[in-house]
């Protein structure tokens, strides 16, 4: 057993008998109980290592690691130190709510993901102590001899000892949609990828046809799947654009607040204001300037988005992933099972020199009639109840024949199978013998280059005709170059009855060609088109044949006929700089390995792109984790892929990604609206406090006023932005560059000038009322500032559209928040018990209306700004981002 490790990579280069010897097993007896126990102690159970399950407590604590959260916690401490316990409690409550929402969403996603896993342990037939036993797959050890039958899930990597017509579906490992034909012959070539090791079967693949016996060479994490899973574990995730932007925003905000508050503190002292008052004012302004509702707004927006997506069969495992898809610039997608249906389908018949999409379209041709019988009878598909069982290619041929009226069960009653030569990798054809009205007939199907060399003539419209083999080979090659799997069908008639097939395959009559392909999903073409319309570049990355990959990519609109296809072998020959140069131009990659998928994703990321990766196979998992966002398939996807992904599509529908992109863009737009709103409000407060002393006016607000405005205006109206509908044309604009500032497209200008405007009307109201006592004019400024921010909240519900076209009632949450905040402001002005606490006094009705009138000017000036935006006179917005009002 000590030699096993060094031989792991060369099992396919070793003869079957030598493998048995190296593994110290026995072809007739298998392993005994003592050997099994020793190997289980040495190698452990045959299972893949699972990631450590995160506790709810860990998920809650993880929510408090963000920089903005830490700044807010510091603000809460400062509020407590200066004696404002109410604001401390408010901030801590918001932070706790934010943490709980994020943690619960992550916990629910993990629970739902576990529910996707198979609940039963697969059983395998193994030879031990000379007897066949049925044992759980987790009990397998290296050296076990396992029986393989059609329909079996391969539970470990094995070197084949026997293979009779054995074929395996390895799409989850290799990305290859066609089944792999297996044999026991030793392979001399070295460094072959798993898809070319025809004398081995691998964990996670399915036996689709035939039978065989294999000896276990690797279990658990030592299998090909296990090594890929281990590769996934060393990949580090990347921060989402939202996380990057928020971290940068938090750092810049903290620095700006310290500078501004220090300046206001020093200015007040120079004006002769009391030290304690200015200290409290500066600290209160610092607390108010921090948008403590921002984490809650972001988390609630993401949680609501995740909830909407769950109704559309998208399971969000990582909350920021909801917004991330709205920012991606590239979507790198696996082909098999993601863009295609992962099943073979007949698309073209070539009969008597003509092409048909269905067999019954050529029903008047004798060749078509004979082909229908051949496809039904020379076929090993079986029907069990309503379900069909068989190899994918044969299933497609069976269904094509049945659709044309050639039912296998009916035909077999008249012409039962008498003999057969099963398909194998040497002969590359299959032949069956049946009785016929004129004697006996043999039906043949196989590789065109093999079948055509055995044909003497062809079946034409009414009978045999001369055969042009070169012409037929040219047609077969043309179909293959378009990505089809091509099969030739022929027959041979016997004058009398025969019982065995001898040299019948040397004098065949060609019936025609059948072209099959793994067809695209019906919704995939529209989804690709939507992605391109949204400025997202779709890229296909597959382990499949280059011709097949390009054919599907052309159909889906990913590339045109002239586009290049880059193979994994070609990638290996490119230097890093050469590959960096080509990665932006290539849209289809074929025959790539898991490590090459990671290299493609990393190359795009180094070009400044934000990359999403979709897939369902084990071979996709490492790239899913490396990508900015990984999207796995829930139904056909492997557990390894789902664990690596940020989002799981429960219906395996590629088009669902488009809905996720739309939702992500809506969420980001709403977060931008909230930041624009809250930072403009804070800007208005800062301008008011900063400019009043320079104009010879006293400090216009007390600390309690600042904290109250911050609490009521940032709170409910801020949260109401999460319910805004998507902006028209959101799917017609290009993605926001990942490194683009959140203040781009005119936001910082808006924050600056609208904040200055709010400050100006607030100071104007102070100047107008300054002749009265301090409490009176402070109440005036306090009210104007509060109402100005409420009008601003209504105005910035859309970046482009007028509030009059949006409608006041289109966001009832915002309307309710504004009304409630207005009521709270009225309470602190007109309820006598609150006047001493907030240092306010009741205003005459006429003065209240003047405050409302001044504040409403904010709505007017912002509507003027949006009018200029729609006419493309400011902020240089691209036309497709500016829908008409």
């Amino acid at each position: 057993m000590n030699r096993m490790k060094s031989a792991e990579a060369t099992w396919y280069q070793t003869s079957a008998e030598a493998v048995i010897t190296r593994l110290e097993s026995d072809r007739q007896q298998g392993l005994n109980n003592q050997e099994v126990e020793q190997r289980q102690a040495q190698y452990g159970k045959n299972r893949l290592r699972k990631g450590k399950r995160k506790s709810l407590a860990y998920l809650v604590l993880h929510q408090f690691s963000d920089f903005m959260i830490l700044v807010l916690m510091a603000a809460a401490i400062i509020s407590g130190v200066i004696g404002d316990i109410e604001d401390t409690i408010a901030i801590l409550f918001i932070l706790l709510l934010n943490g709980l929402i994020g943690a619960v969403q992550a916990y629910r996603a993990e629970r739902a993901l576990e529910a996707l896993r198979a609940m039963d342990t697969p059983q395998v037939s193994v030879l031990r102590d000379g007897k066949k036993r049925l044992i759980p797959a987790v009990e397998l050890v290296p050296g076990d001899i396992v029986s393989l039958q059609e329909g079996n899930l391969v539970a470990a990597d094995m070197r084949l000892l026997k293979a009779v017509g054995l074929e395996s579906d390895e799409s989850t490992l290799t990305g290859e949609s066609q089944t792999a034909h297996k044999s026991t012959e030793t392979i001399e070539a070295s460094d072959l990828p798993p898809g070319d090791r025809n004398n081995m079967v691998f964990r996670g693949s399915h036996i689709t046809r035939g039978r065989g016996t294999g000896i276990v060479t690797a279990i658990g994490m030592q299998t090909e799947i296990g090594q890929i899973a281990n590769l996934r574990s060393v990949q580090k995730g990347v921060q989402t654009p939202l996380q990057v932007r928020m971290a940068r925003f938090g750092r810049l905000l903290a620095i700006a607040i310290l500078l501004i508050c220090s300046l206001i503190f020093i200015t007040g002292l120079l004006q002769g204001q009391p030290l304690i008052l200015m200290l409290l004012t500066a600290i209160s302004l610092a607390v108010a300037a921090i948008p403590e509702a921002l984490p809650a707004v972001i988390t609630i927006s993401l949680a609501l988005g995740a909830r909407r997506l769950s109704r559309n069969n998208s399971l969000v495992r990582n909350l920021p992933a909801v917004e991330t898809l709205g920012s991606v610039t590239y979507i790198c997608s696996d082909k098999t099972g993601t863009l295609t249906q992962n099943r073979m389908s007949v698309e073209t018949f070539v009969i008597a020199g003509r092409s048909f999409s269905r067999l019954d379209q050529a029903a008047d041709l004798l060749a078509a009639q004979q082909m229908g019988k051949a496809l039904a009878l020379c076929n090993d598909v079986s029907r069990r109840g309503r379900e069909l069982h068989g190899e994918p290619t044969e299933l497609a041929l069976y269904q094509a024949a049945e659709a044309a009226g050639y039912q296998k069960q009916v035909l077999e009653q008249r012409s039962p199978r008498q003999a057969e030569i099963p398909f194998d990798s040497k002969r590359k054809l299959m032949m069956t013998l049946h009785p016929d009205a004129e004697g006996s007939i043999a039906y043949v199907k196989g590789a065109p280059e093999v079948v055509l060399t055995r044909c003497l003539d062809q079946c034409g419209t009414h009978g045999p005709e001369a055969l042009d083999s070169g012409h037929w080979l040219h047609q077969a090659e043309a179909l293959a170059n378009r990505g089809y799997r091509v099969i030739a069908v022929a027959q041979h008639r016997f004058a009398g009855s025969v019982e065995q097939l001898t040299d019948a395959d040397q004098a065949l009559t060609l019936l025609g060609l059948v072209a099959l392909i793994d067809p695209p999903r019906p919704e995939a073409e529209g989804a690709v088109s939507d992605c391109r319309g949204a400025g997202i570049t779709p890229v296909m990355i597959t382990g499949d044949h280059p011709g097949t990959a390009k054919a599907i990519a052309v159909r889906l609109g990913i590339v045109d006929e002239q586009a290049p296809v880059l193979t994994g072998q070609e990638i290996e020959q490119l230097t890093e700089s050469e590959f960096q140069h080509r990665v932006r131009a290539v849209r289809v990659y074929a025959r790539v390995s898991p490590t090459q998928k990671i290299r493609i994703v990393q190359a795009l990321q180094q070009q400044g792109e934000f990359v999403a990766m979709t897939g369902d196979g084990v071979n996709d998992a490492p790239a899913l984790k490396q990508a900015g966002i990984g999207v796995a398939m829930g139904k056909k996807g492997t557990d390894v892929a789902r664990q690596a992904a940020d989002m799981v599509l429960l219906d395996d529908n590629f088009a669902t990604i488009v809905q996720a992109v739309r939702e992500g863009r809506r969420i980001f737009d709403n977060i931008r609206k909230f930041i624009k709103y809250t930072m403009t409000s804070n800007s208005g407060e800062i301008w008011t406090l900063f400019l009043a002393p320079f104009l010879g006016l006293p400090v216009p607000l007390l600390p309690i006023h600042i904290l109250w405005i911050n609490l009521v205006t940032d709170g409910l109206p801020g949260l109401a932005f999460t319910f805004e509908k998507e902006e028209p044309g959101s799917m017609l604009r290009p993605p926001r560059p990942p490194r683009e500032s959140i203040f781009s497209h005119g936001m910082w200008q808006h924050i600056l000038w609208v904040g200055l405007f709010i400050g100006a009307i607030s100071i104007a109201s102070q100047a107008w009322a300054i002749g009265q006592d301090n409490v009176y004019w402070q109440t005036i400024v306090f009210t104007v500032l509060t109402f100005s921010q409420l009008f601003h909240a209504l105005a910035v519900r859309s970046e482009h559209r007028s509030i009059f076209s949006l409608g006041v009632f289109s966001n009832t949450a915002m309307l309710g928040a504004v009304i409630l905040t207005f009521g709270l402001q009225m309470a602190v002005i007109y309820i006598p018990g609150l006047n001493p606490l907030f240092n306010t006094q009741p205003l005459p009705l006429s003065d209240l209306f003047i405050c409302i009138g001044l504040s409403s000017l904010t709505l007017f000036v912002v509507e003027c700004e949006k009018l200029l935006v729609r006419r493309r006179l400011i902020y240089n917005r691209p036309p497709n981002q500016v829908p008409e009002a």
Side-chain angles (χ1 to χ4, degrees):
M1 295 301 294
N2 58 348
R3 290 169 293 176
M4 186 183 304
K5 214 163 195 178
S6 62
E8 284 176 355
T10 59
W11 293 121
Y12 65 94
Q13 296 176 288
T14 308
S15 68
E17 293 305 321
V19 171
I20 294 174
T21 301
R22 286 189 181 185
L23 292 171
E24 300 175 12
S25 188
D26 186 281
R27 186 188 285 267
Q28 304 299 324
Q29 297 294 317
L31 302 176
N32 59 42
N33 290 335
Q34 183 179 358
E35 290 171 328
V36 170
E37 290 176 2
Q38 291 174 349
R39 298 185 189 199
Q40 284 181 344
Q42 182 177 358
Y43 295 101
K45 296 289 187 180
N46 178 32
R47 56 167 62 101
L48 297 182
R49 186 167 55 246
K50 297 180 181 179
K52 185 178 180 181
R53 185 172 179 177
K54 298 172 183 176
S55 66
L56 184 59
Y58 171 85
L59 294 173
V60 172
L61 292 174
H62 184 67
Q63 306 301 314
F64 295 91
S65 61
D66 184 75
F67 181 80
M68 275 294 296
I69 301 294
L70 297 177
V71 171
L72 287 170
M73 292 179 71
I77 294 172
I78 292 173
S79 296
V81 169
I82 67 174
D84 195 345
I85 302 300
E86 292 83 0
D87 206 60
T88 298
I89 294 173
I91 294 175
L92 292 178
F93 175 77
I94 290 173
L95 293 180
L96 182 61
L97 180 64
N98 165 71
L100 286 176
I101 291 173
V104 168
Q105 170 64 23
Y107 183 72
R108 289 177 60 188
E110 291 298 323
R111 290 285 300 274
L113 190 66
E114 288 186 9
L116 293 174
R117 297 173 183 164
M119 299 302 294
D120 59 328
T121 303
Q123 303 282 309
V124 293
S125 176
V126 63
L127 182 67
R128 287 183 178 172
D129 286 323
K131 298 178 181 179
K132 284 190 176 183
R133 301 178 184 176
L134 203 61
I135 66 169
V138 294
E139 302 295 331
L140 284 177
V141 296
D144 266 328
I145 294 178
V146 179
S147 296
L148 301 169
Q149 300 285 341
E150 179 183 320
N152 286 166
L153 174 69
V154 180
D157 289 1
M158 305 179 199
R159 170 65 161 88
L160 291 171
L161 307 178
K162 179 182 178 182
V164 180
L166 192 69
E167 296 182 14
S168 174
D169 177 2
E170 299 173 350
S171 59
T172 59
L173 180 65
T174 65
E176 178 71 66
S177 57
Q178 297 181 11
T179 56
H181 302 290
K182 298 297 179 178
S183 69
T184 61
E185 294 183 2
T186 305
I187 301 173
E188 294 183 2
S190 59
D191 298 324
L192 292 180
D196 293 333
R197 301 175 196 173
N198 295 327
N199 56 13
M200 297 195 70
V201 290
F202 303 97
R203 179 183 177 126
S205 58
H206 288 80
I207 303 301
T208 59
R209 184 176 182 179
R211 63 186 188 277
T213 304
I215 181 168
V216 176
T217 57
I219 63 172
M221 296 301 293
Q222 297 303 313
T223 61
E224 290 292 331
I225 278 184
Q227 292 177 37
I228 294 175
N230 191 58
L231 181 64
R232 176 207 69 184
S233 67
V234 300
Q235 294 299 315
K236 295 182 179 179
V238 298
Q239 283 190 310
T240 70
L242 184 62
Q243 290 170 325
V244 171
R245 290 180 179 121
M246 288 300 101
R248 188 188 308 132
F249 171 63
R251 289 191 294 268
L252 294 176
L253 181 62
I255 295 171
I257 288 171
L258 288 174
L259 291 175
I260 292 171
C261 292
S262 299
L263 184 60
I264 289 176
F265 174 72
I266 294 171
T267 302
L269 292 181
L270 293 175
Q271 195 184 30
Q273 298 290 341
L275 174 65
I276 298 299
L277 175 62
M278 291 313 302
L279 180 62
L280 290 175
T281 301
I283 294 175
S284 298
L285 185 61
V287 173
I290 296 175
E292 69 268 16
L294 180 58
V297 168
I298 292 175
T299 303
I300 292 174
S301 295
L302 296 177
L304 291 175
R307 185 178 179 184
R308 290 188 190 95
L309 290 175
S310 68
R311 294 171 182 169
N312 292 310
N313 295 308
S314 293
L315 172 65
V316 177
R317 299 187 61 234
N318 179 23
L319 265 186
V322 181
E323 181 273 338
T324 304
L325 268 175
S327 303
V328 296
T329 56
Y330 274 72
I331 294 182
C332 296
S333 176
D334 179 48
K335 178 184 72 69
T336 306
T338 306
L339 292 168
T340 66
Q341 301 176 33
N342 199 19
R343 66 174 183 85
M344 299 301 290
S345 176
V346 175
E347 289 209 351
T348 302
F349 296 91
V350 182
I351 302 171
R354 296 161 56 189
S355 296
F356 304 92
S357 60
R358 290 172 54 92
L359 196 57
D360 51 7
Q361 292 175 343
D364 58 328
L365 301 180
L366 178 63
Q369 298 166 13
Q370 291 302 110
M371 179 179 281
K373 295 177 182 179
L375 296 181
L377 293 172
C378 188
N379 196 306
D380 287 333
V381 169
S382 60
R383 182 182 290 276
R384 301 168 194 170
R386 293 184 177 181
E387 294 185 1
L388 295 175
H389 297 268
E391 188 269 336
T393 299
E394 290 211 323
L395 278 170
L397 298 175
Y398 177 99
Q399 291 168 338
E402 191 173 59
Y406 299 95
Q407 297 184 0
K408 181 179 180 181
Q409 290 78 5
V410 176
L411 292 172
E412 281 185 331
Q413 291 178 0
R414 298 195 297 264
S415 301
R417 185 181 299 186
Q418 295 177 317
E420 67 177 289
I421 297 176
F423 184 95
D424 63 54
S425 56
K426 280 186 177 181
R427 293 173 59 87
K428 293 187 178 180
L429 57 79
M430 174 185 179
M431 179 179 291
T432 58
L433 180 66
H434 305 266
D436 185 74
E438 302 174 13
S440 298
I441 188 169
Y443 293 117
V444 181
K445 69 173 188 287
E449 66 274 15
V450 175
V451 174
L452 284 169
T453 59
R454 290 165 166 76
C455 291
L456 296 179
D457 54 19
Q458 70 181 49
C459 186
T461 305
H462 302 292
E465 297 177 355
L467 175 70
D468 184 348
S469 298
H471 173 73
W472 282 97
L473 276 173
H474 176 75
Q475 284 190 296
E477 289 173 1
L479 288 168
N481 290 335
R482 291 167 53 192
Y484 289 104
R485 182 178 186 183
V486 186
I487 292 176
V489 184
Q491 68 180 27
H492 177 77
R493 288 191 176 277
F494 298 88
S497 176
V498 295
E499 296 182 356
Q500 291 186 350
L501 292 170
T502 53
D503 296 327
D505 60 346
Q506 299 298 323
L508 302 178
T509 297
L510 180 69
L511 299 177
L513 302 176
V514 184
L516 306 94
I517 201 167
D518 178 10
R521 290 179 173 272
E523 69 282 350
E525 183 176 0
V528 168
S529 176
D530 288 343
C531 286
R532 294 179 68 118
I536 301 170
T537 303
V539 175
M540 179 190 291
I541 304 177
T542 179
D544 213 338
H545 187 276
T548 305
K550 185 172 182 178
I552 296 297
V554 170
R555 288 190 184 199
L556 293 177
I558 294 175
V559 296
D560 56 28
E561 293 284 356
Q562 287 72 42
V565 177
L566 197 62
T567 66
Q569 186 176 7
E570 291 170 332
I571 292 175
E572 288 300 315
Q573 296 172 355
L574 296 175
T575 65
E576 194 61 33
S577 60
E578 290 172 335
F579 186 58
Q580 288 282 343
H581 178 71
R582 295 195 61 180
V583 72
R584 280 185 177 273
V586 178
R587 300 289 180 267
V588 181
Y589 298 87
R591 293 295 195 207
V592 295
S593 67
T595 53
Q596 289 168 341
K597 289 186 178 184
I598 298 173
R599 187 180 175 189
I600 294 167
V601 172
Q602 288 176 331
L604 288 169
Q605 289 171 336
Q606 289 167 7
Q607 295 283 332
E609 305 294 344
F610 197 84
V611 184
M613 173 75 188
T614 72
D616 62 352
V618 174
N619 58 323
D620 300 319
L624 286 174
K625 189 167 184 180
Q626 173 63 39
I629 176 171
V631 183
M633 301 299 154
K635 284 186 176 179
K636 295 182 180 179
T638 60
D639 190 52
V640 174
R642 293 194 293 261
Q643 285 288 343
D646 300 290
M647 181 181 292
V648 180
L649 304 183
L650 301 180
D651 59 354
D652 286 10
N653 190 340
F654 182 81
T656 306
I657 297 174
V658 178
Q659 179 60 35
V661 170
R662 179 177 285 108
E663 185 65 25
R665 294 191 173 191
R666 185 191 71 84
I667 288 171
F668 182 75
D669 286 345
N670 288 345
I671 291 171
R672 263 180 58 92
K673 292 171 190 176
F674 172 76
I675 293 175
K676 177 189 283 189
Y677 162 69
T678 190
M679 295 307 298
T680 303
S681 299
N682 295 346
S683 172
E685 297 166 28
I686 291 171
W687 282 120
T688 302
L689 291 169
F690 180 70
L691 293 178
F694 285 101
L695 297 175
L697 297 172
V699 176
L701 295 172
L702 296 176
I704 187 64
H705 297 149
I706 299 170
L707 296 174
W708 172 257
I709 294 173
N710 185 57
L711 180 64
V712 298
T713 60
D714 279 8
L716 294 174
L719 294 175
F721 280 107
T722 64
F723 295 94
E724 283 296 336
K725 297 177 181 178
E726 68 177 283
E727 290 276 345
S730 66
M731 290 298 289
L732 297 177
R733 70 187 185 210
R736 298 184 184 276
R739 297 177 183 174
E740 179 183 87
S741 169
I742 201 166
F743 295 102
S744 61
H745 301 295
M747 183 190 282
W748 72 265
Q749 296 98 321
H750 176 97
I751 291 171
L752 188 66
W753 84 262
V754 176
L756 183 59
F757 180 82
I758 292 174
I761 61 175
S762 300
I763 293 173
S765 69
Q766 180 186 11
W768 166 68
I770 197 69
Q772 304 291 331
D773 63 80
N774 288 355
V775 176
Y776 173 81
W777 64 256
Q778 283 179 339
T779 303
I780 290 286
V781 178
F782 179 34
T783 304
V784 169
L785 254 178
T786 302
F787 288 167
S788 295
Q789 294 182 22
L790 293 182
F791 279 112
H792 185 241
L794 294 173
V796 295
R797 285 180 48 207
S798 172
E799 295 196 46
H800 320 113
R801 300 176 68 196
S802 166
I803 182 65
F804 305 107
S805 64
L806 280 174
V808 177
F809 296 97
S810 59
N811 185 345
T812 54
M814 177 63 77
L815 181 61
V818 169
I819 292 173
L820 180 57
T821 304
F822 178 85
L824 291 172
Q825 182 66 18
M826 290 297 94
V828 301
I829 295 174
Y830 291 104
I831 294 178
L834 296 178
N835 291 153
L837 178 63
F838 287 93
N839 201 50
T840 57
Q841 70 178 47
L843 298 175
L845 196 58
S846 59
D847 290 357
L848 178 64
F849 282 130
I850 290 174
C851 291
I852 294 174
L854 275 175
S855 302
S856 66
L857 293 176
T858 305
L859 177 63
F860 174 76
V861 298
V862 175
E863 285 298 325
C864 291
E865 178 195 46
K866 290 193 288 186
L867 177 63
L868 295 176
V869 168
R870 290 195 296 274
R871 294 184 177 181
R872 303 165 198 158
L873 298 177
I874 59 174
Y875 302 152
N876 297 317
R877 293 176 181 272
N880 63 356
Q881 293 190 37
V882 190
E884 295 300 325

